[in-house]
Amino acid sequence: SGLSWEPRSRAVEQVHLRCTEGSLEWMYPARALRVVLEPNLSSAQHTTVCIKPASDFQGASIYVEHAGQLHLVVSEAEGAQPHHVSCFSAHTPQRVALFLQASPQRDISRRTASFQYELLSNQGAAGTDFKKMAVVEAMCRPCDNVELLMAICSSDFVVKGSIRNVSHDSENHMSQVDVSIQKVYRQKNRIFQQDEASGEWRGPIRTLLQCKVKKGGGDFLFTGNEHFGEAWLGCAPRFKDFMVVYQAARERGANPCEF
């Protein structure tokens, strides 16, 4: 909180964050805050940083430091935009510094500058907006057998279910697939939850509008990764087709993990 600082101090508060993803909440922003992202992983090559400000982001602007210069990433005016994610290349993979500059204000009314961040290691994710980051997940093509077998090992979520509904958001270039879940094999966080009344497991999965996802019958195996608390679609074969691929790989001893 900016209220905890000495009123006459000109010092910039330093914050070091060691995780590859997380969030920061700065209440009553005052003066400036320098946030250093330095994940505690010596071998990781995180080439892209993505920031998603909270919908009620107020009181500051976010800059990224590069070669002694500050480059604006999120202005206070942009903070209220839903789904607005800014991505930029990390010039030094082991250490990225953000600079939060508090906006001038006349009163002591509460403002909160909060945001989520993710460090990505996929080179294809580098870009200036969320759509490019999502391309890492939504490749708009069927996965081949090798990709499919790896997806069940490394994805943030793996669920068996059917498509209840597909809705399209042309403004944000996204589609949402509402899924009725029969079995949750894995999920990183509680995106897929059980309805108390019906007992049915449900959850939304996002993908790019350009993938032209349509509602189809039958059971699918949905896999993918989470970004900023949302599930993004990766490989999604029909379940019976997946089982044929998996059983064949298992008989050859070529399955990278047990399913």
Side-chain angles (χ1 to χ4, degrees):
S1 170
L3 297 179
S4 63
W5 299 352
E6 290 292 330
R8 296 182 182 180
S9 171
R10 309 289 289 182
V12 174
E13 188 81 8
Q14 300 263 4
V15 177
H16 293 259
L17 302 179
R18 301 287 187 181
C19 298
T20 55
E21 59 182 83
S23 61
L24 183 140
E25 184 178 70
W26 189 21
M27 296 182 293
Y28 302 99
R31 297 184 297 283
L33 188 69
R34 187 170 183 263
V35 181
V36 182
L37 308 177
E38 44 185 4
N40 218 3
L41 301 168
S42 60
S43 62
Q45 292 293 313
H46 295 98
T47 58
T48 304
V49 180
C50 292
I51 294 172
K52 182 179 183 181
S55 58
D56 58 351
F57 185 95
Q58 281 185 309
S61 293
I62 304 176
Y63 299 80
V64 60
E65 291 183 11
H66 174 52
Q69 300 289 319
L70 293 178
H71 301 273
L72 181 65
V73 178
V74 177
S75 68
E76 184 175 9
E78 291 177 332
Q81 297 180 17
H83 305 303
H84 182 87
V85 173
S86 300
C87 297
F88 52 89
S89 296
H91 300 284
T92 52
Q94 304 303 334
R95 186 183 176 96
V96 176
L98 305 174
F99 192 84
L100 278 69
Q101 176 71 54
S103 306
Q105 55 193 63
R106 297 178 181 177
D107 55 34
I108 199 66
S109 61
R110 174 166 175 155
R111 294 174 175 84
T112 303
S114 59
F115 64 90
Q116 296 172 277
Y117 74 91
E118 284 191 16
L119 294 140
L120 303 175
S121 57
N122 192 308
Q123 298 253 9
T128 57
D129 59 3
F130 197 30
K131 288 178 287 182
K132 291 181 181 177
M133 188 181 90
V135 170
V136 179
E137 312 306 331
M139 294 178 287
C140 301
R141 62 171 177 80
C143 297
D144 63 30
N145 291 351
V146 174
E147 291 170 330
L148 182 53
L149 291 169
M150 283 305 300
I152 62 168
C153 307
S154 58
S155 295
D156 289 339
F157 64 89
V158 181
V159 298
K160 177 187 178 182
S162 57
I163 299 174
R164 297 176 62 241
N165 185 50
V166 178
S167 54
H168 303 290
D169 180 355
S170 56
E171 184 177 345
N172 290 300
H173 307 282
M174 297 178 189
S175 295
Q176 179 171 302
V177 182
D178 293 313
V179 178
S180 178
I181 307 296
Q182 295 176 24
K183 185 173 179 62
V184 177
Y185 296 97
R186 183 193 313 129
Q187 63 170 328
K188 186 178 178 181
N189 295 306
R190 291 182 53 80
I191 288 178
F192 304 102
Q193 297 193 16
Q194 191 173 24
D195 183 82
E196 292 183 2
S198 66
E200 183 183 27
W201 283 78
R202 297 177 179 175
I205 302 175
R206 293 182 176 273
T207 188
L208 295 180
L209 186 66
Q210 67 200 46
C211 294
K212 299 179 180 178
V213 174
K214 297 178 182 178
K215 184 177 180 181
D219 295 332
F220 294 84
L221 187 70
F222 298 97
T223 70
N225 288 313
E226 292 184 23
H227 294 299
F228 301 106
E230 296 176 339
W232 280 86
L233 188 63
C235 301
R238 290 193 177 276
F239 189 79
K240 58 182 177 58
D241 296 337
F242 161 73
M243 288 306 298
V244 171
V245 172
Y246 177 75
Q247 294 294 356
R250 193 176 186 194
E251 288 171 11
R252 299 193 313 270
N255 54 314
C257 64
E258 290 292 330
F259 176 75

